[in-house]
Amino acid sequence: AQKITQTQPGMFVQEKEAVTLDCTYDTSDQSYGLFWYKQPSSGEMIFLIYQGSYDEQNATEGRYSLNFQKARKSANLVISASQLGDSAMYFCAMRELSGGSYIPTFGRGTSLIVHP
Amino acid sequence: DADVTQTPRNRITKTGKRIMLECSQTKGHDRMYWYRQDPGLGLRLIYYSFDVKDINKGEISDGYSVSRQAQAKFSLSLESAIPNQTALYFCATSTLETSLNTGELFFGEGSRLTVL
C-alpha cells in the first residue's frame, strides 16, 4: 500500500485563482514530518513547505500553505493567487520511522497547469 | 556552483554496461540519498546513507549498489544496466531534523540515464 497518496494526476487552475493539491498519508507513528516539493519542467526539485506532526498550526510560506488535518491524515497544499510560474509537478512526501531510521517517502505527484 | 552536484547529467548506455553516477555535496550534511524518478511513479528510494560507514537499502535497491567514499561523496552504480533502469536519478542530502531544522531534502539537478 502506498504511504503517500496523491489522487490528482493533473490539475488546472486559472491564473490568480487558488488551488488545492491533495495529499493523504498512512503511518502509525506519532512523530513524522510532511513536505511538499515542486518540480518545474526544468527538472530540479524545490522544497516548498514543511509540517511536523506535533505542529498545531498549519504551516505557511508566502503563497503556500499546508492544510494539515491530522485525524484525517491529510496534508493538502494550498497555493493562493496562482501564477504562470507555478505550473509544475508537485510532490508530497512524508518522513517517518522505517527500519530504525527516519527516511522520506514520496507520492506519485500532481501536475499543475496554470492558465493565463 | 550547486550545493549538490551530480555527474553525469545525461548518459546513454547499452544493456550490460556498468554505469556509475556520482554525487558530491558542499552542504556538510551527513545524510545522503539516491532516488529514482519514473513518470507516474514519483520518486522511489534506492539507497541511503547517514554517515560514511552507514549504507542502507531503500525500496528498490535490486540491480544497484552504492559507495560512500567520504562525507561529501555518494556514488550509485549499475553493475549491468538494463533498459528498465532508464530513468531520472536524483541524489539528495539532508541534515538531522531538529526543533530548528525541518530536515528537508536538498537535491542535485538529476542525472538522466537511458539504457538501450
Side-chain angles (χ1 to χ4, degrees):
Chain A
Q2 290 185 58
K3 290 282 189 177
I4 297 286
T5 302
Q6 295 181 252
T7 57
Q8 308 151 314
M11 288 285 286
F12 297 87
V13 66
Q14 201 75 24
E15 192 178 10
K16 300 180 185 178
E17 297 291 316
V19 62
T20 297
L21 306 184
D22 293 341
C23 173
T24 58
Y25 58 92
D26 180 22
T27 183
S28 57
D29 288 345
Q30 297 301 309
S31 178
Y32 52 89
L34 297 157
F35 303 79
W36 279 91
Y37 293 86
K38 173 184 179 181
Q39 185 181 39
S41 59
S42 51
E44 72 268 30
M45 295 288 290
I46 303 166
F47 165 70
L48 294 178
I49 196 166
Y50 168 81
Q51 180 87 38
S53 58
Y54 293 116
D55 296 338
E56 295 185 352
Q57 291 194 330
N58 288 341
T60 59
E61 290 288 347
R63 293 186 300 109
Y64 303 109
S65 61
L66 199 152
N67 184 359
F68 181 46
Q69 298 187 44
K70 194 170 183 177
R72 296 181 59 187
K73 294 187 176 178
S74 74
N76 298 339
L77 178 69
V78 180
I79 305 174
S80 63
S82 297
Q83 301 173 355
L84 296 179
D86 293 334
S87 294
M89 283 291 293
Y90 289 83
F91 293 97
C92 180
M94 174 174 65
R95 182 185 59 229
E96 64 162 348
L97 193 62
S98 176
S101 301
Y102 282 93
I103 60 172
T105 304
F106 285 78
R108 298 188 175 192
T110 296
S111 174
L112 176 66
I113 296 176
V114 180
H115 288 299
Chain B
D1 288 343
D3 293 326
V4 184
T5 303
Q6 293 183 229
T7 55
R9 294 289 312 281
N10 289 282
R11 182 72 182 268
I12 300 173
T13 191
K14 295 181 178 180
T15 298
K17 294 292 187 181
R18 183 177 187 273
I19 294 297
M20 179 179 287
L21 305 180
E22 298 185 338
C23 177
S24 63
Q25 53 116 344
T26 59
K27 298 197 73 65
H29 290 168
D30 288 327
R31 300 180 175 193
M32 298 188 73
Y33 311 79
W34 275 104
Y35 284 91
R36 167 180 171 160
Q37 183 180 9
D38 297 277
L41 296 180
L43 279 75
R44 293 180 292 166
L45 184 63
I46 307 173
Y47 272 95
Y48 63 101
S49 169
F50 283 3
D51 67 41
V52 174
K53 297 179 182 179
D54 177 67
I55 300 290
N56 303 280
K57 292 182 178 181
E59 178 188 353
I60 54 164
S61 60
D62 287 349
Y64 302 94
S65 63
V66 291
S67 172
R68 184 80 185 266
Q69 302 96 319
Q71 187 209 32
K73 296 184 182 297
F74 192 37
S75 300
L76 176 71
S77 293
L78 288 69
E79 296 301 325
S80 180
I82 57 177
N84 78 358
Q85 291 178 313
T86 293
L88 180 60
Y89 291 84
F90 282 104
C91 174
T93 73
S94 74
T95 189
L96 177 66
E97 59 278 0
T98 67
S99 59
L100 298 177
N101 191 316
T102 67
E104 78 265 25
L105 294 173
F106 293 83
F107 286 86
E109 294 170 304
S111 296
R112 188 167 296 280
L113 176 65
T114 302
V115 183
L116 301 176

